[in-house]
Amino acid sequence: MELKKLPLELRINGELMQTFAYPHLTLLEVVREHFGLTGSKRSCDFGECGACTMLVDGVPHLSCITIARSVRGKEITTIEGLAWEGTLHPVQQAFVSLGGIQCGFCTPGFIMTAKALLDRNPEASEEEIRHALAGNLCRCTGYVKILDAVLSAAKEVQAAGAQAAVS
Amino acid sequence: MRLAKFEFAEPETLEDACAVLAARAEEAVMLGGGTDITINIKHRVVQPKLVIDVKNLRELQYIRETDEGVAIGAATTLFEMLGSPLVRERYPLVAEAARSVGAEHHQMMGTVAGNLCQNTRCRYYNQTHFWRKARPLCYKACGEQCYIANKPQVCYATYHGDTAPALMCCEALLTLRGPQGVRSIGVGELFARDGKAPFTLRRGELITEVLLPHAAAPANGWRGDYKKLRQRGSIDFPLLSVAVAARRDGGGKCAEARIALSAVTSYPLRVPKAEEALRGTALDDDAIAEASRRAASADRFIQTGFVSTKYKKHMIEVFVREALEAIRREAA
């Protein structure tokens, strides 16, 4: 079977990016290898560990098992798209401040999942956070500091929301 | 691991999707959320020439109330389904089953029809190409021998769907569309009772809608419970899943009961013998004990995963009993 590379246009972190790619490439492969955004990690590669999590229209997707062509025309957010003008996103900052990172390989996945949860529900309870993060595996931290970081980021996001409502 | 090479079809309408599928049904697979098929393509156990993207068909993404019940489009994600008040409040059993699928990522990616149509699994089949190279391919992977049963030309791969037993307890209906037109079947009829070719879908047919009938809603007296056994609480396939629903009449007697099991054999199954043991009883301890005992001996199960059949049978008994006791408490 002779397969050709086809033009592929994806909107990643608000920017329209173009490449020529085979139709069987996963979103993770295209983002890392064609666009050079290596923040999202390839870990289990079978949709079990969550290290490759990206947001597609704000919804966490395991990019290692998402076919790149199936998300054309959607807004894709990777870990590179969170910091804004040199300021870290509250979830990123909380992970740094509270030591929610050890080797750091799973961290982009955790941060993207946590960001999606807090965008959807800034008042998420500890139980809801645990449930949302269940699909992200970390082999270093034991999860306690990660949970602390997300709880702290939730407070930050709520405070920012309250301030925005007042002003 | 790279995906095996394939062509990718991006139909814009359901009609286009059906036309592409009808033309090349033998070499095509449908892509819903991709949480099952993509991994099988990576493992090279499925090697389609064509992948048809049906998840992005807007026509198949809806949850709405109709005269017959609540209709759910086939490409609706599990997360959308369990978040919908129509499903959560009227069919809590189905919402609970959907909530137990994988992790939230899988629920957000996976579709309702995709979850029903996930392939059967087995410890010799769901392995990488490299791992499987150690011996000739098993029967399901187009070889000759089943290594589970040590027999040729049979397949005992187990169906691991979470939502199927809950939908069977609601007696949900599926709308199928194919070259010969549109037809409707009960969810139980979807399963062919064969590990190698688990579904009864005809050539070129796809599921377009799942209908949860009004009759199965709590407003009509139905109460249900869903239990799942898995290795890790977070992301695993079920080692066993049990859905139980019961309806009480005005006098407090059980008018009808439904018990469905998944992850025990090549198809999800109802257990009529156990259901009969409950009819006309007040769901007392004796009736519950008898029903759970009968459920545990529903069929001759064979071990395809890492858990012994003895343990599974014990857990069927425990889960059916616990579920019925929960239903009794709720109804009281």
Side-chain angles (χ1 to χ4, degrees), chain A residues 1 3 23, chain B residues 5-9 24 27 48-52:
Chain A
M1 182 172 35
L3 286 180
Chain B
K5 288 185 175 179
F6 50 71
E7 291 171 66
F8 194 71
R24 299 178 62 181
E27 51 188 24
K49 288 198 174 143
L50 173 69
V51 172
I52 305 171

Side-chain angles (χ1 to χ4, degrees), chain B residues 64-123:
Chain B
R64 60 178 171 236
E65 196 170 1
T66 65
D67 291 345
E68 293 86 36
V70 173
I72 304 168
T76 310
T77 66
L78 294 167
F79 195 74
E80 285 162 355
M81 179 175 81
L82 68 91
S84 148
L86 273 179
V87 177
R88 215 174 47 229
E89 284 158 24
R90 298 206 199 158
Y91 305 94
L93 178 62
V94 176
E96 212 176 315
R99 194 178 146 83
S100 80
V101 171
E104 248 181 31
H105 299 77
H106 303 99
Q107 295 159 23
M108 287 170 173
M109 292 173 72
T111 60
V112 174
N115 188 265
L116 273 175
C117 290
Q118 62 183 278
N119 210 335
T120 51
R121 303 173 64 79
C122 157
R123 67 174 185 264

Side-chain angles (χ1 to χ4, degrees), chain B residues 15 18 54 75 83 106 110 116 125 162 174 189 191 197 223 226 231 236-237 247 251 265 270 275 290 300:
Chain B
E15 207 172 320
C18 290
V54 287
H106 303 99
L116 273 175
Y125 178 73
D162 274 299
L174 306 178
E189 295 165 52
F191 303 99
R223 296 283 181 279
Y226 181 80
Q231 274 175 321
D236 276 319
F237 280 101
R247 180 170 64 84
T265 184
R270 288 267 299 270
E275 293 169 3
E290 175 64 15
R300 284 181 63 231

Side-chain angles (χ1 to χ4, degrees), chain A residues 18-158:
Chain A
Q18 294 167 327
T19 186
F20 280 87
Y22 286 114
H24 64 276
L25 292 194
T26 63
L27 178 60
L28 181 67
E29 286 161 353
V30 170
V31 166
R32 284 181 61 90
E33 295 162 20
H34 289 236
F35 300 138
L37 298 171
T38 53
S40 309
K41 302 302 180 204
R42 178 200 291 257
S43 181
C44 74
D45 220 11
F46 289 106
E48 290 173 16
C49 74
C52 64
T53 305
M54 293 180 197
L55 307 188
V56 176
D57 283 347
V59 175
H61 273 56
L62 301 163
S63 61
C64 71
I65 54 168
T66 302
I67 293 167
R69 296 198 78 80
S70 71
V71 292
R72 291 193 313 158
K74 301 191 174 180
E75 185 63 52
I76 297 155
T77 314
T78 69
I79 187 77
E80 287 90 348
L82 292 199
W84 192 65
E85 290 186 351
T87 310
L88 293 180
H89 185 274
V91 180
Q92 288 174 306
Q93 189 56 56
F95 268 69
V96 173
S97 310
L98 295 172
I101 305 168
Q102 280 185 23
C103 85
F105 205 76
C106 68
T107 311
F110 269 103
I111 290 177
M112 297 314 287
T113 310
K115 180 203 182 279
L117 171 68
L118 297 182
D119 285 350
R120 197 167 72 233
N121 177 13
E123 287 166 17
S125 65
E126 184 177 327
E127 175 59 33
E128 284 165 325
I129 295 172
R130 278 176 182 272
H131 187 77
L133 295 180
N136 290 85
L137 303 186
C138 168
R139 301 288 82 165
C140 304
T141 63
Y143 302 102
V144 174
K145 291 190 170 184
I146 292 175
L147 188 62
D148 288 347
V150 180
L151 281 166
S152 153
K155 282 196 194 115
E156 185 90 0
V157 169
Q158 281 167 34

Side-chain angles (χ1 to χ4, degrees), chain B residues 312-331:
Chain B
K312 267 195 194 182
K313 285 189 170 195
H314 173 70
M315 288 312 292
I316 293 174
E317 202 169 330
V318 171
F319 277 175
V320 171
R321 189 181 69 232
E322 285 181 357
L324 284 167
E325 283 171 357
I327 290 169
R328 181 172 66 185
R329 272 197 307 276
E330 206 187 324

Side-chain angles (χ1 to χ4, degrees), chain B residues 6-290:
Chain B
F6 50 71
E7 291 171 66
F8 194 71
E10 298 152 82
E12 300 213 328
T13 62
L14 178 57
E15 207 172 320
D16 290 351
C18 290
V20 178
L21 182 63
R24 299 178 62 181
E26 283 76 18
E27 51 188 24
V29 294
M30 242 102 55
L31 178 75
T35 54
D36 184 47
I37 190 74
T38 322
I39 295 162
N40 283 344
I41 298 175
K42 281 194 174 187
H43 280 155
R44 308 292 191 268
V45 287
V46 182
Q47 299 205 40
K49 288 198 174 143
L50 173 69
V51 172
I52 305 171
D53 180 12
V54 287
K55 193 188 177 183
N56 288 319
L57 294 175
R58 304 287 310 173
E59 293 161 79
L60 298 183
Q61 300 170 355
Y62 58 84
I63 298 176
R64 60 178 171 236
E65 196 170 1
T66 65
D67 291 345
E68 293 86 36
V70 173
I72 304 168
T76 310
T77 66
L78 294 167
F79 195 74
E80 285 162 355
M81 179 175 81
L82 68 91
S84 148
L86 273 179
V87 177
R88 215 174 47 229
E89 284 158 24
R90 298 206 199 158
Y91 305 94
L93 178 62
V94 176
E96 212 176 315
R99 194 178 146 83
S100 80
V101 171
E104 248 181 31
H105 299 77
H106 303 99
Q107 295 159 23
M108 287 170 173
M109 292 173 72
T111 60
V112 174
N115 188 265
L116 273 175
C117 290
Q118 62 183 278
N119 210 335
T120 51
R121 303 173 64 79
C122 157
R123 67 174 185 264
Y124 289 98
Y125 178 73
N126 295 94
Q127 301 290 351
T128 59
H129 182 62
F130 178 75
W131 192 96
R132 289 182 294 117
K133 264 196 324 197
R135 54 163 117 192
L137 293 175
C138 79
Y139 179 58
K140 185 168 168 70
C142 297
E144 281 299 311
Q145 187 82 358
C146 167
Y147 296 116
I148 291 287
N150 244 338
K151 281 188 203 159
Q153 313 272 319
V154 290
C155 177
Y156 288 95
T158 307
Y159 180 79
H160 281 83
D162 274 299
T163 54
L167 292 173
M168 284 168 91
C169 279
C170 294
E171 298 204 329
L173 297 171
L174 306 178
T175 306
L176 312 178
R177 184 170 163 162
Q180 282 120 40
V182 177
R183 66 182 178 125
S184 176
I185 60 169
V187 66
E189 295 165 52
L190 176 68
F191 303 99
R193 308 194 160 207
D194 176 4
K196 188 173 164 75
F199 304 106
T200 55
L201 292 174
R202 294 177 190 154
R203 187 189 177 281
E205 226 170 25
L206 76 155
I207 301 177
T208 57
E209 185 180 278
V210 177
L211 179 80
L212 299 168
H214 283 314
N220 290 314
W222 283 97
R223 296 283 181 279
D225 200 12
Y226 181 80
K227 301 265 180 206
K228 173 169 175 172
L229 179 71
R230 49 181 166 182
Q231 274 175 321
R232 295 166 289 186
S234 55
I235 58 172
D236 276 319
F237 280 101
L239 297 170
L240 166 70
S241 80
V242 173
V244 180
R247 180 170 64 84
R248 289 186 143 189
D249 59 20
K253 299 267 195 233
C254 173
E256 202 179 340
R258 294 171 189 161
I259 299 174
L261 313 174
S262 182
V264 290
T265 184
S266 297
Y267 52 94
L269 70 160
R270 288 267 299 270
V271 198
K273 268 193 289 182
E275 293 169 3
E276 275 160 30
L278 296 166
R279 199 166 299 140
T281 69
L283 290 182
D284 51 281
D285 287 349
D286 288 347
I288 289 177
E290 175 64 15

